[in-house]
Amino acid sequence: MSALRPMARFENRDSVSAADAWLVLQTLPGLTPERLSRLTEAFENPTEALQAPPDVFARLCGRKARGVLDKDSPLDLAARIRQEASKLGAGIITRDSARYPESLREIYAPPGAFFVEGEILAADRLAVAIVGMRRPTDYGRRVARQLAEDLARKGITIVSGMAYGVDAEAHRATLDAGGRTIAVLGCGLTQNYPANHKELRQEIAGQGAVVSEFHLHAHPRKENFPRRNRLISGLSLATVVVEAAQRSGALLTARLALEQGREVMAVPGPVHTRKSTGCHHLLKEGAHLVENVDDIVNALPEYARNMLDNPAQIRVKGLGPEKRETPLANLHPNLTDNENALLLLLENGDDTIESLTQQRGLPAQEVSSALLRLELAGLVRQTSSGMYERVT
């Protein structure tokens, strides 16, 4: 009988959706981002990866991960995870979803899935990370709060790690300013960590999102936080460091941002304290010097600055080939040709950003920016399933 069990699991696994496959792979024990990346490089899709021969899967992902699949089918595993997340009131976003942030797709070893308390919106593409020491000086606290408040008032989402110190100051200042903020955890959503931030976490979820790539019961282990930091920088256009020692998690986040092709910025501090050495090191290495919010905005990508300067006049480069009788500019004179073309495509019904990108023949970032402009203008909206639809 035991010889038949692997075949039964293989048949069951064969019917797993891409979303469930990503979810299962992401939450298997010992399946680090590096291992997940190797696995997805070896196979065309996550469903095929789950169908890998046991010895191949164990070699790529570890015996613990393989052992879980030997006991339960991926369908059962995914169903249990989804049921538990639903009881917690948490959402799940998998890599195949249109709701998956485009900024995360661009980083090395993006998570196959992550859990969300609250909601991630299209407007969160305009995000800046603010990170720093857990025990900052009064100067560091004031600077973190001022920068977060000023950025929030400009419509920029603030991303941080909900840790004590600079992280918490940035989150709270954003909430007080009525802005959106995202907290990235180094543990599962069932864990109350840090212990004194339960109320802050609830406020963030109500005015932004709390996210984690770890399985729901993962404890806040030391090795989790470098993984957490790569998502903080990965969700952001830029990372601003406010007070950091020479060796700190904040400097690791800055290094990860640099590796991801994002802007790195630092606030200078008093020369007589070790709490300034990390920022001063970044500045010597070429990080943007930040004295006020304008220093941050001026260093953001051009398309982001355009959105902030005048959301109604965002320009999107390029226009794919299209046969039409009416000039696109005549449809909505205040929109670009590309934005009008997207509106025409959405007249046929709801559609995904991937499909719209293929139909327009343009880079995903340009289509994503155009959709954000249309969403801010109230012409389109994102549905609960992550698709886009016209607002009539």
Side-chain angles (χ1 to χ4, degrees), residues 200-241:
L200 174 62
R201 174 172 165 173
Q202 292 173 342
E203 292 181 28
I204 293 172
Q207 201 166 308
V210 177
V211 305
S212 171
E213 70 169 317
F214 298 98
H215 69 78
L216 294 168
H217 296 283
H219 292 286
R221 301 183 185 279
K222 182 178 180 180
E223 60 269 22
N224 291 355
F225 291 92
R227 288 179 59 174
R228 183 275 306 264
N229 292 349
R230 95 186 194 288
L231 296 193
I232 291 176
S233 57
L235 286 166
S236 309
L237 297 170
T239 293
V240 181
V241 181

Side-chain angles (χ1 to χ4, degrees), residues 26 43 66 80 97-98 169 173 175 191 208 215 227 255 271 276-277 280 283 289 306 317 351 354 386:
Q26 180 64 35
F43 298 93
R66 180 65 249 176
R80 285 203 297 271
S97 171
E169 296 294 343
L175 294 169
Q191 305 298 305
H215 69 78
R227 288 179 59 174
R255 180 176 63 79
V271 297
S276 299
T277 56
H280 292 172
L283 292 170
L289 185 148
N306 289 339
K317 296 180 180 179
D351 212 339
E354 290 85 357

Side-chain angles (χ1 to χ4, degrees), residues 132-162:
M133 301 193 74
R134 285 176 168 79
R135 296 180 179 177
T137 63
D138 288 340
Y139 163 80
R141 292 181 185 277
R142 292 197 308 272
V143 171
R145 288 191 63 87
Q146 189 65 60
L147 291 176
E149 178 182 340
D150 291 345
L151 288 168
R153 294 191 186 283
K154 287 181 175 291
I156 294 176
T157 299
I158 302 302
V159 183
S160 200
M162 212 177 76

